[in-house]
Amino acid sequence: KVVTRGAPMPRFDVQAPVLSLPRIFATTLETVPDRVPYLAAPELHNLGLPRPAGSKLCVGIVWAGSPTQANDRRRSCPMDRFLALMGLPGVAFYSLQKGEAARQLHRSAPAALVTDLGGRLHDFADTAAVLDQLDLVIAVDTAVVHLAGALARPVWTLLSYTGDWRCPAGREDSPWYPTMRLFQQDRPGDWEGVMDRVLAALEKMVGEKPSGPP
């Protein structure tokens, strides 16, 4: 039963905070539940993805999270860091960015390089419908990467040097999402180094994929 905040609580025998459940279940990194997908994109939607002729990969990008998040100045990066990826032939880029940071797109990248979908994404159902059509998502640690992981979509998460407790340092895979790959800064603020590794991985992915629709 779901109870909205502030409503009277029903009778219950035991109470446990959600983040205490791993301790109660004696969960380890090896036993984190990682069966995906556990969410599905809506079947009926009007968010068809325009795919340029000859493109091998359709890649969604997100460079910033909510500015009110405590660690946002470390986890978010300027949009122009993604420009290093956009000279790669055969890759079509799509911005999923929302909020004030979306304005950076039109200041930094010509419309020919990135298709802006932000204005069409009104909720997570819309975002899920788009993620379901993309070959890959490359994004900083925001809700979009967690949604992509829950949908079992390929996603590369860009992490700051301090990272997040859900993304253990020193590994490129995620214990939560089998389809997620982690790219973490080697030193504070080093987004350039992260993008160098992302570009190399993306070049390899393009080289292994034939032209045309998936």
Side-chain angles (χ1 to χ4, degrees), residues 7-20:
M9 293 292 291
R11 183 182 178 279
F12 61 89
D13 297 309
V14 178
Q15 180 271 343
V18 171
L19 290 182
S20 293

Side-chain angles (χ1 to χ4, degrees), residues 135-186:
D135 299 303
L136 175 66
V137 177
I138 304 175
V140 296
D141 187 13
T142 68
V144 172
V145 300
H146 295 278
L147 179 58
L151 292 165
R153 301 303 299 157
V155 53
W156 293 355
T157 302
L158 315 182
L159 297 171
S160 67
Y161 180 72
T162 52
D164 183 277
W165 64 270
R166 291 164 293 189
C167 303
R171 57 190 291 173
E172 292 188 354
D173 64 317
S174 166
W176 311 89
Y177 307 117
T179 62
M180 181 180 289
R181 181 174 176 181
L182 307 177
F183 293 81
Q184 187 165 11
Q185 292 176 354
D186 292 326

